[in-house]
Structure formats: structure tokens, C-alpha cells
Amino acid sequence: LIAAAYQQLNMKTVLPISSVKIEGEFKYLDKDQLREQAMPVVDGGFFSVDLVAVRNVLIDLPWVEDVSVRRQWPDQLLVRVMEKQPVVFWGKDGVLSSRGELFSPGETLNENLPRMNGPEGLHSVMFKELSRMQAWLLETGLYIQEMELDARRSWTLKMQN
């Protein structure tokens, strides 16, 4: 009898989700746009909403580094979003995040960041070298403005002082 009642109970209508709360510190992302992106996949009630689907729809956005989604009693989803921090320009329109991840922001950034150019696929190697070289140069007061690695594996540095 209890099993039959449970089967007839539509879990999407039990305690429906009424709001999505977005948390995080944002410079490039907008809370309202994140909410609009998430809402179409917020389908279900408190117990049946697919948290993984909500996370997946947001984690694929260019500026999103990480997302955590949890239920907040009685009818809310709490979504914490970590924004990518740009640290280096790569090529014509790429950017490397603080984790060394290459992404395309889809907009022109007005940031004073070093620029790297090199063969495709070597951005992580160059990022590590940039960090190593900059740490070594820190005592001199010189900062790397541009770093280039050509096809012959020759390095060129342009300094800012």
C-alpha cells in the first residue's frame, strides 16, 4: 500500500524549487545571467532536482572555474560559483587562468597581463616557465611583459620596467 502511494506521488511537485541563489565574488560574471542559465535545468522538487545537471550547465561557461550546488531547505538551491582569474593572454584571443587552464573569454579584456605566444598545445609548459622565470627575476624589479616560443624552440622575452 505504501509502495503504491509512493509510485503515484509525483516527486517533481513535492516541495518545488522556488528560487536559485547564486553566491560568489564576480568581476566578469553576472549573477542574473548565471541564474537564467541554470533555471531551465532546475526541473523537479526539492528531492528530485538534478544537482549534477545544474552544475554541468554552469561549469561549461567560459569564465566559470568551479561550481557547487546544494539544496537549501525548504525550496531553494544554493549555487556557489568560483570565477576564473585571468593571469596571462595566450595568442590572439586566449587567456590562461590562475590554474593554467586555457579558455576563450569571448570578449576583449582591458587587463594589464603578460602575453604569451607559442606553438599550439604548449601553453601549460610556457605558463610554468613564465612563473619560474618571473620568480627568478622578482629580485631585479623586472617583469616579463611578453614571452614567445617559436617553432625552433627559441625563447624571446620582452621585459617591462
Side-chain angles (χ1 to χ4, degrees):
L1 182 64
I2 294 175
Y6 180 78
Q7 286 179 342
Q8 290 187 358
L9 185 63
N10 183 353
M11 291 304 289
K12 289 184 178 186
T13 60
V14 174
L15 298 170
I17 298 295
S18 66
S19 67
V20 175
K21 182 178 180 183
I22 306 289
E23 291 184 345
E25 295 180 24
F26 305 124
K27 183 176 179 180
Y28 305 99
L29 290 169
D30 179 81
K31 285 184 181 184
D32 293 331
Q33 288 177 346
L34 290 169
R35 190 175 296 103
E36 288 174 18
Q37 193 79 22
M39 286 309 289
V41 294
V42 177
D43 184 32
F46 186 80
F47 298 107
S48 64
V49 66
D50 188 352
L51 301 181
V52 174
V54 175
R55 182 184 186 281
N56 288 344
V57 78
L58 295 175
I59 199 75
D60 290 337
L61 298 174
W63 280 104
V64 174
E65 185 80 46
D66 197 15
V67 178
S68 68
V69 182
R70 67 180 180 95
R71 297 169 178 92
Q72 188 165 336
W73 185 260
D75 61 353
Q76 189 176 53
L77 284 184
L78 179 60
V79 180
R80 288 196 175 108
V81 179
M82 186 185 337
E83 185 176 68
K84 289 181 182 167
Q85 301 302 313
V87 293
V88 178
F89 290 117
W90 171 261
K92 293 181 181 178
D93 58 357
V95 175
L96 289 173
S97 73
S98 57
R99 292 186 180 176
E101 179 185 339
L102 178 62
F103 70 102
S104 180
E107 60 192 59
T108 304
L109 297 181
N110 293 325
E111 302 286 338
N112 186 22
L113 302 174
R115 178 166 296 282
M116 292 190 327
N117 291 299
E120 187 175 327
L122 290 181
H123 61 274
S124 59
V125 171
M126 291 183 67
F127 183 66
K128 288 176 187 171
E129 278 301 306
L130 175 68
S131 299
R132 188 183 69 77
M133 288 181 191
Q134 191 59 60
W136 184 71
L137 290 169
L138 195 57
E139 297 173 2
T140 66
L142 296 173
Y143 296 95
I144 299 171
Q145 184 177 1
E146 277 187 47
M147 174 186 254
E148 186 169 344
L149 180 63
D150 65 19
R152 296 177 302 163
R153 302 298 192 251
S154 175
W155 295 84
T156 304
L157 298 178
K158 184 177 179 181
M159 309 305 283
Q160 175 185 12
N161 57 8

